[in-house]
Coordinates of all heavy atoms in Angstrom, one line a residue:
M1 N 28.5 25.3 -9.5 CA 27.8 24.0 -9.7 C 28.9 23.0 -10.2 O 29.6 23.2 -11.1 CB 26.7 24.2 -10.8 CG 25.8 23.0 -10.9 SD 24.5 23.2 -12.1 CE 23.2 23.9 -11.0
S2 N 28.8 21.8 -9.6 CA 29.8 20.8 -9.9 C 29.4 20.0 -11.2 O 28.3 20.1 -11.6 CB 30.0 19.8 -8.8 OG 28.8 19.0 -8.7
S3 N 30.3 19.2 -11.7 CA 30.0 18.4 -12.9 C 29.0 17.4 -12.6 O 28.2 17.0 -13.4 CB 31.3 17.8 -13.5 OG 31.8 16.9 -12.6
K4 N 29.0 16.9 -11.3 CA 28.0 16.0 -10.9 C 26.6 16.6 -10.9 O 25.6 16.0 -11.3 CB 28.3 15.5 -9.5 CG 27.4 14.4 -9.0 CD 27.9 13.9 -7.6 CE 27.0 12.8 -7.1 NZ 27.4 12.2 -5.8
D5 N 26.5 17.9 -10.4 CA 25.2 18.6 -10.5 C 24.8 18.8 -11.9 O 23.6 18.7 -12.2 CB 25.3 20.0 -9.8 CG 25.5 19.8 -8.2 OD1 25.1 18.8 -7.7 OD2 26.1 20.7 -7.6
D6 N 25.7 19.2 -12.8 CA 25.4 19.4 -14.2 C 24.8 18.1 -14.8 O 23.9 18.1 -15.6 CB 26.6 19.8 -15.0 CG 27.1 21.2 -14.6 OD1 26.3 22.0 -14.1 OD2 28.2 21.6 -14.9
A7 N 25.5 17.0 -14.5 CA 25.1 15.7 -15.0 C 23.7 15.4 -14.6 O 22.8 14.9 -15.3 CB 26.0 14.6 -14.7
R8 N 23.4 15.6 -13.3 CA 22.0 15.3 -12.7 C 21.0 16.2 -13.4 O 19.9 15.8 -13.7 CB 22.0 15.6 -11.2 CG 20.7 15.2 -10.6 CD 20.3 13.8 -10.8 NE 19.0 13.5 -10.4 CZ 18.2 12.6 -10.9 NH1 18.6 11.8 -11.8 NH2 16.9 12.5 -10.4
S9 N 21.3 17.5 -13.6 CA 20.4 18.4 -14.3 C 20.1 17.9 -15.7 O 18.9 18.0 -16.1 CB 21.0 19.8 -14.4 OG 21.2 20.3 -13.1
V10 N 21.0 17.4 -16.4 CA 20.8 16.8 -17.7 C 19.9 15.6 -17.6 O 18.9 15.4 -18.4 CB 22.1 16.4 -18.4 CG1 21.9 15.6 -19.7 CG2 22.9 17.7 -18.7
E11 N 20.1 14.7 -16.6 CA 19.2 13.6 -16.5 C 17.8 14.0 -16.2 O 16.9 13.4 -16.8 CB 19.7 12.7 -15.3 CG 21.0 12.0 -15.5 CD 21.6 11.3 -14.3 OE1 21.0 11.5 -13.2 OE2 22.6 10.7 -14.4
V12 N 17.6 15.0 -15.4 CA 16.2 15.4 -15.1 C 15.6 16.0 -16.3 O 14.4 15.7 -16.6 CB 16.3 16.5 -13.9 CG1 14.9 17.2 -13.7 CG2 16.7 15.8 -12.6
V13 N 16.3 16.7 -17.1 CA 15.7 17.3 -18.3 C 15.3 16.2 -19.3 O 14.3 16.2 -19.9 CB 16.7 18.3 -18.9 CG1 16.3 18.7 -20.4 CG2 16.8 19.5 -18.1
E14 N 16.2 15.2 -19.4 CA 15.9 14.1 -20.3 C 14.7 13.3 -19.9 O 13.9 12.9 -20.7 CB 17.2 13.2 -20.4 CG 18.3 13.8 -21.1 CD 19.6 13.1 -21.1 OE1 19.7 12.2 -20.2 OE2 20.5 13.4 -21.9
I15 N 14.6 13.0 -18.6 CA 13.4 12.2 -18.1 C 12.2 13.0 -18.3 O 11.2 12.5 -18.8 CB 13.6 11.9 -16.6 CG1 14.8 10.9 -16.4 CG2 12.3 11.4 -16.0 CD1 15.2 10.8 -15.0
A16 N 12.2 14.3 -18.0 CA 11.0 15.2 -18.3 C 10.6 15.2 -19.7 O 9.4 15.1 -20.1 CB 11.3 16.6 -17.8
A17 N 11.6 15.2 -20.6 CA 11.3 15.2 -22.1 C 10.6 13.9 -22.5 O 9.7 13.9 -23.3 CB 12.6 15.4 -22.9
I18 N 11.1 12.8 -22.0 CA 10.5 11.5 -22.3 C 9.0 11.4 -21.8 O 8.1 11.0 -22.5 CB 11.3 10.3 -21.6 CG1 12.6 10.2 -22.3 CG2 10.5 9.0 -21.6 CD1 13.6 9.3 -21.6
M19 N 8.8 12.0 -20.6 CA 7.5 11.9 -20.0 C 6.5 12.8 -20.6 O 5.3 12.7 -20.4 CB 7.6 12.1 -18.5 CG 8.3 11.0 -17.7 SD 7.5 9.4 -17.9 CE 6.1 9.7 -16.8
R20 N 6.9 13.8 -21.4 CA 6.0 14.8 -22.0 C 5.2 14.2 -23.1 O 4.2 14.7 -23.5 CB 6.7 16.0 -22.4 CG 6.9 17.0 -21.3 CD 7.4 18.4 -21.9 NE 8.7 18.3 -22.5 CZ 9.8 18.5 -21.8 NH1 9.8 18.8 -20.5 NH2 11.0 18.5 -22.4
T21 N 5.7 13.1 -23.7 CA 5.0 12.5 -24.8 C 4.2 11.2 -24.4 O 4.6 10.5 -23.5 CB 6.0 12.1 -25.9 OG1 6.8 11.0 -25.4 CG2 6.9 13.2 -26.3
E22 N 3.1 11.0 -25.0 CA 2.3 9.8 -24.7 C 3.2 8.5 -25.0 O 3.1 7.6 -24.2 CB 1.1 9.8 -25.6 CG 0.1 8.6 -25.2 CD -1.1 8.6 -26.1 OE1 -1.3 9.5 -26.8 OE2 -1.9 7.7 -25.9
G23 N 3.9 8.5 -26.1 CA 4.7 7.3 -26.4 C 5.8 7.1 -25.3 O 6.0 6.0 -24.9
G24 N 6.4 8.2 -24.8 CA 7.4 8.0 -23.8 C 6.8 7.5 -22.5 O 7.4 6.7 -21.8
R25 N 5.6 8.0 -22.1 CA 4.9 7.5 -20.9 C 4.6 6.1 -21.1 O 4.6 5.3 -20.1 CB 3.7 8.4 -20.6 CG 4.0 9.8 -20.1 CD 2.8 10.5 -19.6 NE 1.7 10.6 -20.5 CZ 1.6 11.5 -21.5 NH1 2.5 12.4 -21.7 NH2 0.6 11.5 -22.3
N26 N 4.2 5.7 -22.3 CA 3.8 4.3 -22.5 C 5.0 3.3 -22.4 O 4.9 2.3 -21.8 CB 3.2 4.1 -23.9 CG 1.8 4.6 -24.0 OD1 1.1 4.8 -23.1 ND2 1.4 5.0 -25.3
V27 N 6.2 3.8 -22.9 CA 7.4 3.0 -22.7 C 7.7 2.9 -21.2 O 8.0 1.8 -20.7 CB 8.6 3.6 -23.5 CG1 9.9 3.0 -23.1 CG2 8.3 3.5 -25.0
V28 N 7.7 4.0 -20.5 CA 8.0 3.9 -19.1 C 7.1 3.1 -18.3 O 7.4 2.3 -17.4 CB 8.1 5.4 -18.5 CG1 8.2 5.4 -17.0 CG2 9.2 6.2 -19.1
R29 N 5.8 3.2 -18.7 CA 4.8 2.3 -18.0 C 5.0 0.8 -18.3 O 5.0 0.1 -17.3 CB 3.4 2.7 -18.5 CG 2.3 1.9 -17.9 CD 0.9 2.4 -18.3 NE 0.7 2.5 -19.7 CZ -0.4 2.7 -20.3 NH1 -1.5 2.8 -19.6 NH2 -0.5 2.7 -21.6
R30 N 5.4 0.5 -19.5 CA 5.7 -0.9 -19.8 C 6.9 -1.4 -18.9 O 7.0 -2.5 -18.5 CB 6.0 -1.1 -21.2 CG 4.7 -1.2 -22.1 CD 4.9 -1.7 -23.5 NE 5.8 -0.9 -24.3 CZ 5.6 0.2 -25.0 NH1 4.3 0.6 -25.1 NH2 6.5 0.7 -25.7
L31 N 7.9 -0.5 -18.8 CA 9.1 -0.8 -18.0 C 8.7 -1.1 -16.5 O 9.1 -2.0 -15.9 CB 10.1 0.3 -18.1 CG 10.9 0.5 -19.4 CD1 11.7 1.7 -19.4 CD2 11.7 -0.8 -19.6
L32 N 7.8 -0.2 -16.0 CA 7.4 -0.4 -14.6 C 6.6 -1.7 -14.5 O 6.8 -2.4 -13.5 CB 6.5 0.8 -14.2 CG 7.3 2.1 -13.9 CD1 6.3 3.2 -13.6 CD2 8.2 1.9 -12.7
V33 N 5.7 -2.0 -15.4 CA 5.0 -3.2 -15.3 C 6.0 -4.4 -15.4 O 5.9 -5.4 -14.6 CB 4.0 -3.4 -16.5 CG1 3.4 -4.8 -16.6 CG2 2.8 -2.4 -16.3
G34 N 7.0 -4.3 -16.2 CA 8.0 -5.4 -16.3 C 8.8 -5.5 -15.0 O 9.3 -6.7 -14.7
T35 N 8.9 -4.5 -14.2 CA 9.7 -4.6 -12.9 C 8.8 -5.2 -11.8 O 9.3 -5.5 -10.8 CB 10.2 -3.3 -12.5 OG1 9.1 -2.4 -12.1 CG2 11.1 -2.6 -13.5
G36 N 7.5 -5.3 -12.1 CA 6.6 -5.8 -11.0 C 6.3 -4.7 -10.1 O 5.7 -5.0 -9.0
Y37 N 6.5 -3.5 -10.4 CA 6.2 -2.3 -9.5 C 4.8 -2.3 -9.0 O 4.5 -2.0 -7.9 CB 6.5 -1.0 -10.2 CG 6.2 0.2 -9.4 CD1 7.0 0.6 -8.4 CD2 5.0 0.9 -9.6 CE1 6.7 1.7 -7.6 CE2 4.7 2.0 -8.8 CZ 5.6 2.4 -7.8 OH 5.3 3.4 -7.0
F38 N 3.8 -2.7 -9.9 CA 2.4 -2.6 -9.5 C 1.9 -3.9 -8.8 O 0.7 -4.0 -8.5 CB 1.6 -2.3 -10.8 CG 1.9 -1.0 -11.4 CD1 2.6 -1.0 -12.6 CD2 1.4 0.2 -10.9 CE1 2.9 0.2 -13.2 CE2 1.7 1.4 -11.5 CZ 2.5 1.4 -12.6
G39 N 2.7 -4.8 -8.6 CA 2.3 -6.1 -8.0 C 3.1 -6.5 -6.7 O 3.9 -5.7 -6.2
S40 N 2.8 -7.7 -6.3 CA 3.5 -8.3 -5.2 C 4.8 -9.0 -5.6 O 4.9 -9.5 -6.7 CB 2.6 -9.3 -4.5 OG 3.3 -10.0 -3.5
T41 N 5.8 -9.0 -4.7 CA 7.0 -9.7 -5.0 C 7.0 -11.1 -4.3 O 7.9 -11.9 -4.6 CB 8.2 -9.0 -4.4 OG1 8.0 -8.9 -2.9 CG2 8.4 -7.6 -4.9
F42 N 6.0 -11.4 -3.6 CA 5.9 -12.7 -2.8 C 6.0 -13.9 -3.7 O 5.3 -14.0 -4.8 CB 4.7 -12.8 -2.0 CG 4.7 -14.1 -1.2 CD1 5.5 -14.2 -0.1 CD2 3.9 -15.2 -1.6 CE1 5.5 -15.4 0.6 CE2 3.9 -16.4 -0.9 CZ 4.7 -16.5 0.2
D43 N 6.8 -14.9 -3.3 CA 6.9 -16.2 -3.9 C 7.3 -17.1 -2.8 O 8.2 -16.8 -2.0 CB 7.9 -16.2 -5.1 CG 7.7 -17.5 -5.9 OD1 8.0 -18.6 -5.4 OD2 7.3 -17.4 -7.0
E44 N 6.8 -18.3 -2.7 CA 7.2 -19.2 -1.7 C 8.6 -19.7 -1.8 O 9.3 -20.0 -0.8 CB 6.2 -20.5 -1.6 CG 4.9 -20.1 -1.2 CD 4.0 -21.4 -1.0 OE1 4.5 -22.5 -1.0 OE2 2.8 -21.1 -1.0
D45 N 9.1 -19.7 -3.0 CA 10.5 -20.0 -3.2 C 11.4 -18.7 -2.9 O 11.2 -17.7 -3.5 CB 10.7 -20.3 -4.7 CG 12.2 -20.6 -5.1 OD1 13.1 -20.1 -4.4 OD2 12.4 -21.3 -6.0
P46 N 12.2 -18.8 -1.8 CA 13.0 -17.6 -1.4 C 13.9 -17.0 -2.5 O 14.1 -15.8 -2.5 CB 13.8 -18.1 -0.2 CG 13.8 -19.6 -0.3 CD 12.6 -20.0 -1.0
I47 N 14.4 -17.8 -3.4 CA 15.2 -17.3 -4.5 C 14.4 -16.5 -5.4 O 14.8 -15.4 -5.8 CB 15.9 -18.5 -5.2 CG1 16.8 -19.3 -4.2 CG2 16.8 -17.9 -6.4 CD1 17.9 -18.5 -3.6
K48 N 13.2 -17.0 -5.8 CA 12.3 -16.2 -6.7 C 11.8 -15.0 -6.0 O 11.7 -13.9 -6.6 CB 11.1 -17.1 -7.1 CG 11.5 -18.2 -8.1 CD 10.3 -19.0 -8.5 CE 10.6 -20.1 -9.4 NZ 9.5 -20.9 -9.8
H49 N 11.6 -15.1 -4.7 CA 11.1 -13.9 -4.0 C 12.2 -12.8 -4.0 O 11.9 -11.7 -4.2 CB 10.7 -14.3 -2.5 CG 10.3 -13.1 -1.7 ND1 9.1 -12.6 -1.8 CD2 11.1 -12.4 -0.8 CE1 9.0 -11.5 -0.9 NE2 10.2 -11.4 -0.3
A50 N 13.4 -13.3 -3.7 CA 14.5 -12.3 -3.7 C 14.7 -11.7 -5.1 O 14.9 -10.4 -5.2 CB 15.8 -13.0 -3.3
F51 N 14.6 -12.5 -6.1 CA 14.7 -12.0 -7.5 C 13.6 -10.9 -7.8 O 13.8 -9.9 -8.3 CB 14.6 -13.1 -8.5 CG 14.6 -12.6 -9.9 CD1 15.8 -12.3 -10.6 CD2 13.4 -12.5 -10.6 CE1 15.7 -11.9 -11.9 CE2 13.3 -12.1 -11.9 CZ 14.5 -11.7 -12.6
N52 N 12.4 -11.3 -7.4 CA 11.2 -10.4 -7.6 C 11.4 -9.1 -6.8 O 11.1 -8.0 -7.3 CB 9.9 -11.1 -7.2 CG 9.5 -12.2 -8.1 OD1 10.0 -12.4 -9.2 ND2 8.6 -13.1 -7.6
A53 N 11.9 -9.2 -5.6 CA 12.1 -8.0 -4.8 C 13.1 -7.1 -5.4 O 13.0 -5.9 -5.5 CB 12.5 -8.4 -3.4
G54 N 14.2 -7.7 -5.9 CA 15.2 -6.9 -6.6 C 14.7 -6.2 -7.9 O 15.0 -5.0 -8.1
R55 N 13.9 -7.0 -8.6 CA 13.4 -6.4 -9.9 C 12.4 -5.3 -9.5 O 12.5 -4.2 -10.1 CB 12.6 -7.5 -10.6 CG 12.0 -7.1 -11.9 CD 11.4 -8.3 -12.6 NE 10.2 -8.6 -11.8 CZ 9.4 -9.6 -12.1 NH1 9.6 -10.3 -13.2 NH2 8.4 -9.9 -11.3
R56 N 11.6 -5.4 -8.5 CA 10.7 -4.4 -8.1 C 11.4 -3.2 -7.6 O 11.0 -2.0 -7.8 CB 9.7 -4.9 -7.0 CG 8.6 -3.9 -6.8 CD 7.5 -4.5 -5.9 NE 6.4 -3.5 -5.8 CZ 6.3 -2.6 -4.8 NH1 7.3 -2.5 -3.9 NH2 5.3 -1.8 -4.8
Q57 N 12.5 -3.4 -6.9 CA 13.3 -2.2 -6.4 C 13.8 -1.4 -7.6 O 13.9 -0.1 -7.4 CB 14.6 -2.7 -5.6 CG 15.3 -1.6 -5.0 CD 14.5 -0.8 -4.0 OE1 13.8 -1.3 -3.1 NE2 14.5 0.5 -4.1
T58 N 14.1 -2.0 -8.7 CA 14.4 -1.2 -9.9 C 13.2 -0.3 -10.3 O 13.4 0.9 -10.6 CB 14.8 -2.1 -11.1 OG1 15.9 -2.9 -10.7 CG2 15.1 -1.3 -12.3
G59 N 12.0 -0.8 -10.2 CA 10.8 0.0 -10.5 C 10.7 1.1 -9.5 O 10.3 2.2 -9.8
I60 N 10.9 0.8 -8.2 CA 10.8 1.9 -7.2 C 11.8 3.0 -7.4 O 11.5 4.2 -7.3 CB 11.0 1.2 -5.8 CG1 9.8 0.3 -5.5 CG2 11.2 2.3 -4.7 CD1 10.0 -0.5 -4.2
N61 N 13.0 2.6 -7.8 CA 14.1 3.6 -8.1 C 13.6 4.5 -9.3 O 13.8 5.7 -9.3 CB 15.4 2.9 -8.4 CG 16.0 2.3 -7.2 OD1 15.6 2.5 -6.1 ND2 16.9 1.4 -7.4
L62 N 13.0 3.8 -10.3 CA 12.6 4.6 -11.5 C 11.5 5.5 -11.1 O 11.4 6.7 -11.6 CB 12.1 3.6 -12.6 CG 11.5 4.2 -13.8 CD1 12.5 5.2 -14.5 CD2 11.1 3.1 -14.8
V63 N 10.6 5.1 -10.3 CA 9.5 6.0 -9.9 C 10.0 7.2 -9.1 O 9.5 8.3 -9.3 CB 8.5 5.2 -9.0 CG1 7.5 6.1 -8.2 CG2 7.6 4.2 -9.9
E64 N 11.0 7.0 -8.3 CA 11.6 8.1 -7.6 C 12.2 9.1 -8.6 O 12.0 10.4 -8.4 CB 12.7 7.7 -6.6 CG 12.1 6.9 -5.4 CD 11.1 7.7 -4.6 OE1 11.3 8.9 -4.3 OE2 10.0 7.1 -4.4
E65 N 12.8 8.7 -9.6 CA 13.3 9.5 -10.7 C 12.2 10.3 -11.4 O 12.3 11.5 -11.6 CB 14.1 8.7 -11.7 CG 15.4 8.1 -11.2 CD 16.5 9.0 -11.2 OE1 16.7 9.8 -12.1 OE2 17.2 9.0 -10.2
L66 N 11.2 9.6 -11.7 CA 10.0 10.2 -12.4 C 9.3 11.2 -11.5 O 9.0 12.3 -12.0 CB 9.0 9.1 -12.8 CG 9.5 8.1 -13.7 CD1 8.5 6.9 -13.8 CD2 9.8 8.7 -15.1
K67 N 9.2 11.0 -10.3 CA 8.5 11.9 -9.4 C 9.3 13.2 -9.2 O 8.8 14.2 -9.0 CB 8.2 11.2 -8.0 CG 7.1 10.2 -8.1 CD 6.8 9.3 -6.9 CE 7.1 9.8 -5.6 NZ 6.8 8.8 -4.5
E68 N 10.7 13.0 -9.2 CA 11.5 14.2 -9.1 C 11.5 15.0 -10.4 O 11.4 16.3 -10.4 CB 12.9 13.8 -8.8 CG 13.9 15.0 -8.7 CD 15.4 14.6 -8.5 OE1 15.6 13.4 -8.2 OE2 16.2 15.5 -8.8
A69 N 11.6 14.3 -11.5 CA 11.8 15.0 -12.8 C 10.6 15.5 -13.5 O 10.5 16.5 -14.2 CB 12.6 14.1 -13.8
A70 N 9.5 14.7 -13.3 CA 8.2 15.0 -14.0 C 7.0 14.6 -13.2 O 6.3 13.7 -13.6 CB 8.2 14.3 -15.4
P71 N 6.8 15.2 -12.0 CA 5.7 14.7 -11.2 C 4.3 14.8 -11.8 O 3.5 13.9 -11.6 CB 5.8 15.7 -9.9 CG 6.6 16.8 -10.4 CD 7.5 16.4 -11.5
G72 N 4.0 15.8 -12.5 CA 2.7 15.9 -13.2 C 2.5 14.9 -14.2 O 1.4 14.2 -14.3
E73 N 3.5 14.6 -15.0 CA 3.5 13.6 -16.1 C 3.4 12.2 -15.5 O 2.8 11.3 -16.0 CB 4.6 13.8 -17.1 CG 4.5 15.0 -17.9 CD 5.1 16.3 -17.3 OE1 5.5 16.2 -16.1 OE2 5.0 17.3 -17.9
F74 N 4.1 12.0 -14.3 CA 4.1 10.7 -13.6 C 2.6 10.4 -13.2 O 2.1 9.3 -13.4 CB 5.0 10.7 -12.4 CG 4.9 9.5 -11.6 CD1 5.3 8.2 -12.1 CD2 4.4 9.6 -10.3 CE1 5.1 7.1 -11.3 CE2 4.2 8.4 -9.5 CZ 4.6 7.2 -10.0
K75 N 1.9 11.4 -12.6 CA 0.6 11.2 -12.2 C -0.3 11.0 -13.4 O -1.2 10.1 -13.4 CB 0.1 12.5 -11.5 CG 0.7 12.6 -10.1 CD 0.2 13.9 -9.4 CE 1.0 14.2 -8.2 NZ 0.7 15.4 -7.6
L76 N -0.1 11.7 -14.5 CA -0.8 11.4 -15.8 C -0.6 10.0 -16.2 O -1.6 9.3 -16.6 CB -0.4 12.4 -16.8 CG -1.0 12.2 -18.2 CD1 -2.5 12.3 -18.2 CD2 -0.4 13.3 -19.2
M77 N 0.6 9.5 -16.2 CA 0.9 8.2 -16.6 C 0.2 7.1 -15.8 O -0.4 6.2 -16.3 CB 2.4 7.9 -16.5 CG 2.8 6.5 -17.0 SD 4.5 6.0 -16.5 CE 4.2 5.8 -14.8
L78 N 0.1 7.4 -14.5 CA -0.6 6.5 -13.6 C -2.1 6.5 -13.9 O -2.7 5.4 -14.0 CB -0.4 6.9 -12.1 CG 1.0 6.6 -11.5 CD1 1.0 7.1 -10.1 CD2 1.3 5.2 -11.6
R79 N -2.7 7.6 -14.2 CA -4.1 7.7 -14.6 C -4.3 6.9 -15.9 O -5.3 6.1 -16.0 CB -4.5 9.1 -14.8 CG -4.9 9.8 -13.5 CD -5.6 11.1 -13.7 NE -5.0 12.1 -14.5 CZ -4.1 13.0 -14.1 NH1 -3.7 13.1 -12.9 NH2 -3.6 13.9 -15.0
E80 N -3.4 7.1 -16.9 CA -3.5 6.4 -18.1 C -3.4 4.9 -17.9 O -4.1 4.1 -18.5 CB -2.5 6.9 -19.1 CG -2.6 8.3 -19.5 CD -1.4 8.9 -20.2 OE1 -0.3 8.4 -20.1 OE2 -1.6 10.0 -20.9
H81 N -2.5 4.5 -17.0 CA -2.3 3.1 -16.7 C -3.6 2.4 -16.2 O -4.0 1.4 -16.7 CB -1.2 2.9 -15.8 CG -1.0 1.5 -15.3 ND1 -0.5 0.5 -16.1 CD2 -1.3 0.9 -14.1 CE1 -0.5 -0.7 -15.4 NE2 -1.0 -0.4 -14.2
F82 N -4.1 3.1 -15.2 CA -5.3 2.5 -14.5 C -6.6 2.6 -15.3 O -7.5 1.8 -15.2 CB -5.5 3.0 -13.1 CG -4.4 2.5 -12.2 CD1 -3.4 3.3 -11.7 CD2 -4.3 1.2 -11.8 CE1 -2.3 2.8 -10.9 CE2 -3.3 0.7 -11.0 CZ -2.3 1.5 -10.6
E83 N -6.6 3.6 -16.2 CA -7.8 3.7 -17.2 C -7.7 2.6 -18.2 O -8.8 2.1 -18.6 CB -7.8 5.0 -17.9 CG -8.2 6.2 -17.0 CD -8.0 7.5 -17.7 OE1 -7.5 7.6 -18.8 OE2 -8.3 8.5 -17.0
D84 N -6.5 2.1 -18.6 CA -6.4 1.1 -19.6 C -6.6 -0.3 -19.0 O -6.8 -1.2 -19.8 CB -5.0 1.1 -20.2 CG -4.8 2.3 -21.1 OD1 -5.8 3.0 -21.4 OD2 -3.6 2.6 -21.5
E85 N -6.6 -0.5 -17.7 CA -6.8 -1.8 -17.2 C -8.2 -2.3 -17.3 O -9.2 -1.7 -17.3 CB -6.3 -1.9 -15.7 CG -4.8 -1.9 -15.7 CD -4.3 -2.2 -14.3 OE1 -5.0 -2.0 -13.3 OE2 -3.2 -2.7 -14.2

């Protein structure tokens, strides 16, 4: 196993640890809301649209990390999110 694989394994363990707690899921959920993950990126102003799309891409990248490291907790976080709305 390379040092890159070791580093990735540590990242996965850390993400899973965060997602196991309600507080951790709440923080991650707020981050996702802040990225615009749950909404549209559209804006008539092309600069704002590009900014929104880039911000949302950060959310998409975070979701991919969550689905890999803690898929069950990710689903739980989504249920909690939509129950709170």
Side-chain angles (χ1 to χ4, degrees):
M1 192 178 268
S2 72
S3 63
K4 186 176 181 179
D5 291 337
D6 290 341
R8 182 63 189 151
S9 295
V10 169
E11 290 172 355
V12 167
V13 168
E14 291 171 341
I15 293 167
I18 290 167
M19 293 298 287
R20 276 193 294 273
T21 69
E22 183 178 359
R25 290 189 304 277
N26 288 338
V27 168
V28 170
R29 181 173 53 170
R30 285 192 303 271
L31 290 171
L32 283 175
V33 168
T35 68
Y37 177 78
F38 297 105
S40 172
T41 61
F42 180 77
D43 193 293
E44 289 185 16
D45 178 333
I47 301 299
K48 287 181 184 177
H49 177 79
F51 175 81
N52 292 342
R55 185 178 63 178
R56 188 167 186 273
Q57 185 61 48
T58 299
I60 291 169
N61 293 343
L62 177 56
V63 165
E64 291 303 313
E65 293 281 317
L66 296 171
K67 287 170 31 179
E68 177 185 345
E73 291 82 0
F74 173 68
K75 290 176 187 174
L76 174 59
M77 183 196 70
L78 289 177
R79 281 194 304 274
E80 292 167 343
H81 172 73
F82 289 109
E83 286 172 0
D84 287 349
E85 286 193 334

